[in-house]
Amino acid sequence: MSTSRAPGAPPARTGGVLLVLCGAIFLEGIDVAMLNVALPSIRADLGMSTGELQWVMSAYVLGYGGFMLLGGRAADLFGRRRMFVLWLTVFVLFSGLGGLATGGWTLILARFVTGVAAAFMTPAGLSIITTSFAEGPERNRALLVYSGTSAAGFTVGLVAGGLLTAVHWRWVFFAPVVLALVILAAALVCVPPAERPERTGRRVDAAGALTVTAGLVLIVLGVERAAHTTAVLTAGTLLAGLAFLAAFVLVERRSPEPLVRLGVLRDGALVRANLAAMLFAAGFFGFQFLVVLYLQELRGWTALQTSLAMLVAGVDAVLSPTLTPRLVDRFGNARVITGGLLLAALSYGLFLPVTADWTYAAMFPGLLALGLAFSLAYGPLTIVATEGVAEEEQGLAGGLLYTAFQSGAALGLAAVTAVGARTDPRAAGVDGIRAGLLVPFAAALLAAAISAYPRPGSRKAAGSVGVTLVRPRGRRRRRRERRAA
């Protein structure tokens, strides 16, 4: 267990480090939020179907989630600052290139590469925080500020996305480039170089990264195409995805330096925490996708009106660093996370009676509950995913959590598209929206049930959901070392 600051991050500089990394996660938040608001305008300009439009979002989260484990491992092996700066540069380039797209699939490809860049940048940034602040209250405060900044980025992105889309949707891609360049310059100054990691005999598990990514892509593709193709083709696609995931397990078993030590997954509490995160993200992203289509394509609202309507969900930007720490101190991470997931289910449930002429007053309680839910669930999940983890595997710990978030987001987007948007939403009408809303509602309820499983008095319940000691050496490696000695 690591409870001290990393050698490369003296206390005098931790404030600057946190500021830079909060800037990066703020950038990631506004990037996703602005694109979410601009989707209908992109569809109209590029002539995309609902399925293709869903892939503009899914390509990003699949690149993000599919390569997150590799990104976390690369941060541990090649240096956190080095990976953060390099992939922030790639993020800047391809975010800008997305604005130059002239066709749907060009945009989808640009978003995929941007997601891959985020997959390397984000766990590197998170692990810089967790190795710069002492484990306990100090680190918890830093992580809650970090998650609150992410929420603030999403909130600002909603408004900025509406304003920029009113000019042209391409500015949604061009505008973040300026902010990213400022963050990149600040990172070079404020984030101190760490000691070069010892990599003798260690390598990156590229085969593991490719097989897990292929598995996730095929499963999401199978879910999304279920409403548009035959049952045989759907089953074949899903089975192929599962086969790649099985191959991933085999690769990890045989690899001397696996992307994920499979022994970590024997901890039931850790598995439950990541499952809850995946389901929470599935509901959160699927719900937003449906609400944007409902407001703009069924109700005829402008992008700016949609942004302002959803702004109330940004209350999490204020509550995450203020109210959530107090609740965690009093009730523990497990109860706070479960409460947040139940609030998410309430939010989606309040939207189930939606009609074609709903007033904003009818929407307001559900949107407010969603903001409260995010503030309670996201930050504490980030805390428990890194608590008690050895310093040399902090990148991997962040990678596991963000893989769960992003793969869940991709599956949620695909599921709501398959269930609620079988045809163009303008033809399917509000019935399609209501059907799609069942997906996030069910996902949130299931996530709450999973997170509440360790009852008070069990080994894990007293502290937090999914806390585990990630040991840097597994049984096989210890046996090899004993034989070598």
Side-chain angles (χ1 to χ4, degrees), residues 1 73 261 263-264 267 388-393 396 459-460 468-475 477-478:
M1 179 185 298
R73 187 63 174 157
R261 288 186 307 100
V264 172
D267 189 307
V389 176
E391 183 174 305
E392 58 266 36
E393 288 194 332
L396 175 59
R459 182 173 62 90
K460 297 290 183 184
T468 183
L469 294 178
V470 180
R471 299 174 180 84
R473 290 189 172 90
R475 293 188 180 91
R477 188 183 297 182
R478 288 198 294 270

Side-chain angles (χ1 to χ4, degrees), residues 84-134:
F84 177 78
V85 170
L86 172 63
W87 289 99
L88 177 57
T89 304
V90 176
F91 186 94
V92 171
L93 291 175
F94 278 87
S95 181
L97 287 174
L100 301 175
T102 56
W105 287 104
T106 307
L107 179 59
I108 289 170
L109 179 61
R111 292 304 294 169
F112 180 77
V113 178
T114 305
V116 172
F120 282 82
M121 177 181 76
T122 304
L126 179 61
S127 61
I128 290 173
I129 290 178
T130 56
T131 55
S132 298
F133 293 86

Side-chain angles (χ1 to χ4, degrees), residues 41-48 52 101-105 107 169-170:
S41 297
I42 293 172
R43 179 219 285 275
D45 197 23
L46 300 183
M48 302 175 71
E52 289 174 323
T102 56
W105 287 104
L107 179 59
W169 64 263
R170 295 186 187 277

